[in-house]
Amino acid sequence: MTTVTFRRSTDTVSSVAAARTPVQSRNAVRPSPAPGDALRSLGPNWFAVVMGTGIVANSAATLPLQFPGLRAAATVVWALAALLLVVLSVAWVAHWRRYPEIARSHGAHPVMMQFYGAPPMALLTVGAGTLVLGSDVIGMPAAVAIDWVLWSVGTALGLLAACAIPFRMMTRHNFDADAAFGGWLMPVVPPMVSAATGALLIPHIPAGQPRMTMLFLCLAMFGLSLIAAIATITVIWSRLLHHGLPAAGMVATVWLVLGPLGQSVTAAGQLANVAPTALPDRESAGLDVFALIFGVPTWGFALLWLSLAIAVTYHTRKTMPFNMTWWGFTFPLGTCVTGSTVLYTHTGANIFAITAVALFTLLLTAWALVALHTLRGIYHGTLFHPAP
């Protein structure tokens, strides 16, 4: 067994961001590489683009404030996310064929391997959007069929990542106390996304044991992801308190903590919504109560973390180089939008509706900013070269 020691994470993560994560140089513009060479720097972290784009569409579809044109715009964004998923999937397969050693090294790298949670979440996000928005375009039967495929593959890959990546961390690497960062959550969050998006499929399953089985599978994935996330968030909180902020290039990963928080609130609420179709009245009523007892306190902590993340980002704004970790501003924030929306549908309390709309406005701003920087980096070729 090969053991790799990961020490002094503030410096190491910075160097990793330069060596493994495509980073845009602030002072230099490099020529665009040939299409084949562009694949060299492709990693699983690129699927965060699909996640961030897809969550904009999904959160818009259920936003408490609906106005003419919003659903049509959300459908266009969903189509864009679906197209990005196809393009990146093809490119990733080509990357594995052309650069197998680099591709395999991602799975062994203490930072890059965390982002193997991104591909399954990209599949799940686009699948949910297909059911919620794509059904208007391709019809409900086709949308359900596509979502089943994407949900099944995404769930299988997500469960594999949730088990394999922590196992590799335990057996292949030694981490110092200051090594923890928000990316550690990426492998354990996909089952929570499966639980939230799987709830949308439950009404399309035959009643009785099949529907009940699906509900309990989603609840089990909710639990395994939640407990793993709580343990990891505790370590990240401790790391920030005892060792300070991460390197400037990794500050955006602080926002990743919002992902399991917002998604767990969303999952609890959506599973409670469909529970009456799968469980007896008493059990389904219990899930409805749990959605509030769990959801509201978790929502409160998510807002606290959001405030801290905004403060940390503002504190380091002048030294933050653009890189692909900036997509961490989008998907986690989007889960807080959907979580607030779910709480509004369960309570009718305007505070949740107002928060959902405010967070969606922030999400749109973040997505536009990060997308613009990404397009600029692709156009100039800087995202395909490690920074000097």
Side-chain angles (χ1 to χ4, degrees):
M1 180 185 71
T2 302
T3 302
V4 178
T5 302
F6 190 46
R7 300 185 182 279
R8 301 305 304 167
S9 67
T10 299
D11 298 329
T12 305
V13 168
S14 180
S15 64
V16 166
R20 294 292 186 188
T21 303
V23 179
Q24 181 183 25
S25 172
R26 291 172 290 176
N27 302 317
V29 176
R30 302 177 182 85
S32 296
D37 293 336
L39 295 175
R40 181 185 296 273
S41 299
L42 186 67
N45 56 333
W46 275 79
F47 284 87
V49 178
V50 180
M51 295 166 55
T53 303
I55 199 65
V56 171
N58 295 354
S59 58
T62 57
L63 198 67
L65 177 63
Q66 292 288 316
F67 52 85
L70 179 61
R71 187 172 182 85
T75 303
V76 171
V77 176
W78 158 77
L80 174 61
L83 176 62
L84 289 171
L85 177 61
V86 172
V87 171
L88 281 176
S89 297
V90 172
W92 204 28
V93 171
H95 169 75
W96 271 90
R97 291 176 62 88
R98 182 158 184 167
Y99 304 106
E101 292 184 2
I102 295 177
R104 284 193 294 269
S105 72
H106 290 161
H109 196 279
V111 171
M112 185 58 77
M113 71 178 181
Q114 309 298 335
F115 294 95
Y116 269 96
M121 286 191 281
L123 292 168
L124 295 165
T125 303
V126 172
T130 302
L131 193 60
V132 174
L133 294 165
S135 56
D136 296 343
V137 180
I138 62 177
M140 185 58 74
V144 171
I146 292 172
D147 190 20
W148 265 118
V149 173
L150 295 178
W151 186 87
S152 300
V153 176
T155 297
L157 293 177
L159 289 172
L160 178 62
C163 180
I165 300 304
F167 178 76
R168 272 186 169 250
M169 293 173 69
M170 296 171 187
T171 59
R172 299 289 185 90
H173 305 281
N174 292 324
F175 295 93
D176 282 353
D178 64 344
F181 76 113
W184 282 14
L185 288 164
M186 291 290 289
V188 300
V189 174
M192 184 66 76
V193 182
S194 291
T197 56
L200 302 177
L201 285 168
I202 288 177
H204 301 279
I205 300 175
Q209 285 295 325
R211 195 173 292 183
M212 185 182 297
T213 299
M214 179 68 167
L215 178 64
F216 283 131
L217 285 175
C218 289
L219 284 171
M221 289 188 289
F222 170 91
L224 76 88
S225 182
L226 176 66
I227 295 172
I230 290 175
T232 306
I233 291 171
T234 303
V235 175
I236 294 170
W237 180 284
S238 176
R239 181 257 183 269
L240 292 173
L241 289 179
H242 291 95
H243 303 282
L245 300 180
M250 300 295 284
V251 165
T253 62
V254 174
W255 289 67
L256 297 179
V257 174
L258 295 172
L261 298 175
Q263 195 70 294
S264 63
V265 176
T266 304
Q270 290 182 338
L271 289 171
N273 287 342
V274 299
T277 68
L279 298 176
D281 292 342
R282 186 180 65 176
E283 286 79 2
S284 63
L287 284 180
D288 192 62
V289 172
F290 174 77
L292 294 182
I293 292 178
F294 168 81
V296 176
T298 305
W299 179 83
F301 182 70
L303 292 185
L304 168 63
W305 193 278
L306 174 62
S307 301
L308 292 172
I310 292 174
V312 167
T313 304
Y314 181 81
H315 177 74
T316 57
R317 68 193 185 283
K318 295 182 179 179
T319 59
M320 287 178 58
F322 174 72
N323 56 50
M324 293 302 289
T325 65
W326 279 37
W327 282 98
F329 294 135
T330 56
F331 185 83
L333 186 58
T335 67
C336 294
V337 177
T338 58
S340 299
T341 298
V342 163
L343 289 176
Y344 172 69
T345 60
H346 275 263
T347 64
N350 288 335
I351 184 174
F352 298 119
I354 294 171
T355 303
V357 173
L359 292 179
F360 182 73
T361 302
L362 181 60
L363 170 63
L364 278 181
T365 303
W367 180 82
L369 177 66
V370 178
L372 178 62
H373 278 283
T374 303
L375 289 173
R376 185 181 299 164
I378 292 173
Y379 177 77
H380 292 298
T382 52
L383 282 179
F384 304 115
H385 294 275

